[in-house]
Amino acid sequence: MLAKRIIPCLDVKDGTTVKGINFVNLREAGDPVELGAEYSRQGADELVYLDITASHEGRKTFTELVKKVAANINIPFTVGGGINELSDVERLLNAGADKISVNSAALRHPELIDEIARNFGSQVCVVAIDAHPENKEWICYLNGGRIPADKKLLQWAVEAEERGAGEILFTSMGHDGVKNGYANDALSVLADTLHIPVIASGGAGKMEHFRDVFVKGKADAALAASVFHFGEIKIAGLKQYLRSENVNVR
């Protein structure tokens, strides 16, 4: 079994790391480059940087910030937000990103996944899915959780994999920032259905939630933000705890 990964996520707005609850009520959490470097030192396996208002505001992702991050950390990192075409992917990879994450653009133009995989390899393409359960069906959302799409979570994740996605990053919008645990039931269905890694996002509040997302949710990686940003959980301590619970972490 592959070792599980711990991935801090840095939501960036106007050059500052921010964190909210259920995608709203944002508060500042620090400098994204300094935070990333600190997580790298603490033993994070990867990082994710999301320009959270790029798609909504219709502008390009923060290339200069990506260059600074690449110069200051030595672990792989993924960049997302406002990526709409191959030239965006190329620009961010050239700036130093290891992977890119697509969400709204892929829902609107699914062939973008095929193009990224064909031109840069599946390992570069992370398809992020923001979803919310409605009448027992998980519905996907566009533009940072603002607009419902006509796709269901499992159906879309399977299609993304078939088109060449290397990983699925699933955020349960209702769990985001509330710290009551991850959406383990939905995650385990994804993990059982897909052949590519599933990254869990939304709901980390204590160390037990990470154990549960790996054991019950069968996730390959767990992404979290505020518990790391505000010092509630330290990565080294978290990995030590997970090992004591027989979870194989890096």
Side-chain angles (χ1 to χ4, degrees), residues 141-155:
Y141 274 72
L142 297 149
N143 286 35
R146 292 174 177 84
I147 305 167
D150 60 351
K151 298 262 191 190
K152 297 184 176 72
L153 170 63
L154 190 62
Q155 160 209 1

Side-chain angles (χ1 to χ4, degrees), residues 61-115:
T61 313
F62 40 11
T63 314
E64 291 308 309
L65 178 66
V66 172
K67 288 179 183 170
K68 286 182 193 162
V69 171
N72 283 278
I73 69 166
N74 56 7
I75 55 175
F77 70 101
T78 301
V79 175
I83 295 167
N84 297 303
E85 54 199 14
L86 282 182
S87 61
D88 296 329
V89 179
E90 189 167 19
R91 176 168 48 82
L92 292 164
L93 293 177
N94 287 340
D98 297 276
K99 308 177 200 177
I100 58 88
S101 165
V102 286
N103 186 336
S104 303
L107 275 165
R108 290 194 176 96
H109 307 288
E111 64 278 1
L112 179 63
I113 302 170
D114 306 67
E115 292 172 6

